[in-house]
């Protein structure tokens, strides 16, 4: 049996079409996904903006403006970097470069040495100016979803507006009701941003917004691996291959031949899923939140399930081996549609099926394989993951039982 297992492994690994569809094609498609979706997350990150600060008499007469700049500034060395403090604190939004006049600041904007300018007018209001080149770049990047510059400019503009509104409130209170400044509730409400939204995390890990496409791809790869099991069964059947004729007269029992074929297809499909998952994890930077070991378990379960499905298809009587392989490919492509592989429309369709027809979603093996990785990614508890493993295990055992019955009943009048 061990020799038969090794022979099957060599035959699988020498099959060029299997190597392409299980190894090369997923890596190529994942690379394309990374090229299309790789900048989406970056477009929502704050980036440090180079800002010229007009340090004139009006600026020095408004100490609050300098305090604000100190709070959002990364320094005065002119370095341009991503606005990420890394410790959960307020990110450094601007790099401040002081100038002595508005004309000097405008010159920096014209020369492209600054993207914006901050100044204080005669009424103590903070003014923000953006260079035309920066504005054009912001619009272009927003359309291409390739940069967070437009987000950073919006945040900076909102901060300036909030500062001016707070200044008006304080000035109005001093002029008309100075005693209000002695009220802690009133002074505490100044600068309150309760009207703004705040992002929170329900889990201890923030998954990538594009992870679903990559894991739907793994679902398709798992379904394509059914061809390995079909080939393994064909190589053990005398009416489907010349090798099957020779094996039918071999002393090794047929059950052991089929078991060796099943194990070989399971090992090869697990190997392909593991390679593809590791490429997605480290090549495309789609993290599993430190649960890579659970991802390997998901690959092991997915490869077992698809090997069982392929064994059932391979055991169907009266169908040529080529037709069975075509059936596997067709099933992989069709079922992947309902697991969300083919873009946002397919994702929405998958969600609708899961919401309104959960039984159909449960019976879709491609969706269940995809759910293995969803469960790892989106849940703190492993209960959903174990539930999906149980569903796939039950489906696999049913397929293996039916395949066993079909293979035991097959007899050949002549070869």
């Amino acid at each position: 049996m061990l020799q038969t297992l090794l022979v099957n492994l060599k035959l699988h690994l020498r099959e060029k079409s299997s190597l392409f569809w299980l190894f090369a094609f997923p890596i190529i498609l994942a690379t394309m996904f990374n090229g299309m979706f790789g900048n989406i997350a970056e477009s929502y990150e704050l980036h440090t903006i180079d800002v010229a600060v007009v340090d004139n008499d009006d600026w020095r007469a408004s100490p609050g403006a300098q305090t604000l700049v100190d709070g959002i500034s990364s320094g005065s060395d002119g370095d341009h970097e991503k606005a990420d403090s890394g410790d959960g604190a307020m990110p450094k939004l601007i790099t401040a470069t002081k100038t002595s006049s508005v004309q000097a600041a405008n010159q920096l904007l014209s020369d492209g040495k600054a993207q914006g300018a901050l100044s204080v007018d005669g009424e103590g209001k903070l003014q923000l100016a953006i260079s035309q080149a920066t504005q054009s770049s912001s619009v272009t990047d927003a359309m291409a979803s390739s940069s967070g510059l437009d987000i950073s400019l919006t945040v900076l503009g909102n901060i300036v507006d909030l500062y001016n509104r707070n200044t008006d409130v304080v000035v109005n209170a001093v002029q008309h009701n100075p005693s209000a400044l002695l009220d802690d509730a009133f002074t505490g409400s100044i600068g309150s941003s309760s009207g703004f939204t705040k992002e929170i995390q329900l889990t201890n890990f923030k998954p990538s917004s594009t992870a679903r496409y990559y894991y739907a791809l793994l679902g398709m790869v798992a379904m394509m691996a059914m061809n390995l099991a079909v080939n393994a069964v064909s190589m053990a059947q005398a009416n489907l291959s010349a090798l099957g004729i020779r094996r039918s007269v071999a002393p090794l029992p047929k059950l052991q031949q089929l078991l060796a074929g099943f194990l070989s297809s399971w090992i090869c499909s697990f190997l392909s899923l593991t390679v593809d998952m590791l490429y997605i994890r480290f090549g495309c930077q789609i993290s599993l939140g430190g649960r890579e070991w659970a991802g390997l378990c998901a690959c092991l379960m997915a490869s077992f399930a698809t090997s069982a499905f392929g064994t059932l298809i391979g055991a169907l009587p009266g169908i040529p081996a080529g037709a069975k392989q075509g059936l596997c490919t067709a099933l992989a492509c069709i079922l992947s549609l309902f697991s969300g592989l083919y873009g946002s429309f397919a994702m929405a369709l998958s969600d609708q099926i899961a919401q309104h027809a959960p039984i159909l979603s449960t019976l879709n093996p491609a969706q269940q394989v995809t759910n293995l990785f969803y469960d790892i990614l989106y849940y703190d508890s492993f209960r959903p993951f174990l539930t999906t493993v149980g569903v796939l295990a039950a489906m696999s055992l049913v397929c293996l039982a039916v395949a066993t019955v079909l293979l035991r009943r097959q007899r050949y009048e002549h070869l």
Side-chain angles (χ1 to χ4, degrees):
M1 176 178 168
L2 179 60
Q3 186 64 30
T4 303
L5 173 62
L6 295 176
V7 169
N8 283 335
L9 285 174
K10 291 179 181 179
L11 291 174
H12 290 324
L13 295 177
R14 289 174 180 173
E15 183 65 34
K16 295 181 180 179
S17 61
S18 297
L19 293 178
F20 174 78
W21 288 110
L22 299 182
F23 291 91
F25 177 74
I27 291 177
I28 294 172
L29 199 56
T31 303
M32 293 176 61
F33 285 171
N34 192 49
M36 292 186 294
F37 304 138
N39 293 324
I40 291 180
E42 182 183 354
S43 66
Y44 293 99
E45 294 178 351
L46 293 179
H47 284 62
T48 303
I49 305 173
D50 294 322
V51 175
V53 175
V54 181
D55 188 10
N56 54 15
D57 293 338
D58 291 332
W59 182 271
R60 289 186 288 271
S62 180
Q66 185 59 49
T67 301
L68 174 65
V69 168
D70 291 340
I72 63 174
S73 173
S74 60
S76 59
D77 54 1
D79 291 338
H80 189 274
E81 60 186 31
K82 185 179 292 187
D84 185 5
S85 60
D87 57 0
M90 172 66 187
K92 301 304 181 181
L93 186 59
I94 68 171
T95 296
T97 302
K98 290 188 176 182
T99 61
S100 58
S101 64
V102 175
Q103 291 75 15
N106 290 336
Q107 187 62 43
L108 290 178
L109 295 179
S110 300
D111 295 341
K113 297 180 179 179
Q115 296 169 290
L118 286 173
S119 61
V120 174
D121 61 15
E123 298 179 356
K125 296 289 186 65
L126 195 60
Q127 303 293 326
L128 172 64
I130 302 297
S131 69
Q132 187 172 359
T134 301
Q135 184 178 10
S136 301
S137 176
S138 173
V139 173
T140 302
D141 290 340
M143 294 176 63
S145 298
S146 60
S147 173
L149 178 59
D150 57 321
I151 302 293
S152 302
L153 292 175
T154 300
V155 171
L156 181 58
N158 288 337
I159 290 175
V160 171
D161 290 341
L162 182 61
Y163 173 86
N164 290 332
R165 289 198 300 270
N166 291 338
T167 301
D168 289 339
V169 170
V170 173
V171 171
N172 186 66
V174 170
Q175 293 177 349
H176 299 91
N177 188 14
S179 61
L181 298 178
L182 302 176
D183 186 354
D184 293 339
F186 173 76
T187 56
S189 65
I190 297 175
S192 175
S193 58
S194 58
F196 292 88
T197 58
K198 181 180 180 180
E199 182 180 5
I200 62 174
Q201 288 183 204
L202 298 178
T203 63
N204 59 358
F205 169 69
K206 181 180 179 181
S208 171
S209 59
T210 60
R212 297 185 65 186
Y213 295 98
Y214 293 93
Y215 297 143
L217 173 60
L218 289 179
M220 180 182 183
V221 174
M223 298 305 296
M224 292 293 294
M226 293 189 298
N227 281 303
L228 296 175
V230 170
N231 291 336
V233 174
S234 299
M235 288 186 293
Q237 290 183 285
N239 64 331
L240 293 180
S241 66
L243 180 58
I245 296 176
R246 293 194 296 272
R247 285 184 174 179
S248 66
V249 296
L252 185 66
K254 187 174 182 180
L255 178 61
Q256 294 186 24
Q257 295 181 29
L258 292 172
L259 181 59
F262 177 82
L263 290 177
S264 66
S265 63
W266 185 7
I267 292 172
C268 288
S269 58
F270 171 70
L271 180 62
S272 66
L273 281 174
T274 301
V275 170
D276 297 334
M277 186 202 71
L278 293 178
Y279 177 78
I280 290 172
R281 169 61 185 90
F282 297 103
C284 301
Q285 299 298 317
I286 303 299
S287 178
L288 282 169
R291 293 179 169 180
E292 284 75 13
W293 62 270
L296 292 176
C297 294
C299 292
L300 188 65
M301 184 66 242
S303 57
F304 175 81
T306 53
S307 296
F309 302 150
T311 300
L312 175 59
I313 295 176
L316 295 176
I319 303 177
K324 292 178 181 179
Q325 293 174 357
L327 177 61
C328 289
T329 302
L331 285 175
C333 295
I334 294 173
L335 294 178
S336 296
L337 168 65
F338 300 106
S339 65
L341 177 63
Y342 305 126
S344 57
F345 168 76
M347 281 294 177
L349 179 61
S350 175
D351 293 339
Q352 290 293 323
I353 293 175
Q355 181 178 359
H356 300 290
I359 295 179
L360 295 178
S361 180
T362 302
L363 295 177
N364 183 355
Q367 181 65 61
Q368 293 304 311
V369 171
T370 306
N371 286 345
L372 287 173
F373 299 94
Y374 289 174
D375 297 338
I376 296 171
L377 197 64
Y378 293 114
Y379 294 97
D380 287 336
S381 171
F382 281 100
R383 178 176 295 180
F385 175 74
L386 295 176
T387 300
T388 305
V389 168
V391 171
L392 282 173
M395 296 170 66
S396 302
L397 293 177
V398 170
C399 291
L400 289 176
V402 175
T404 301
V405 173
L406 293 176
L407 291 172
R408 284 175 59 88
R409 292 179 175 273
Q410 291 184 10
R411 299 290 185 271
Y412 313 111
E413 182 177 354
H414 59 83
L415 297 175

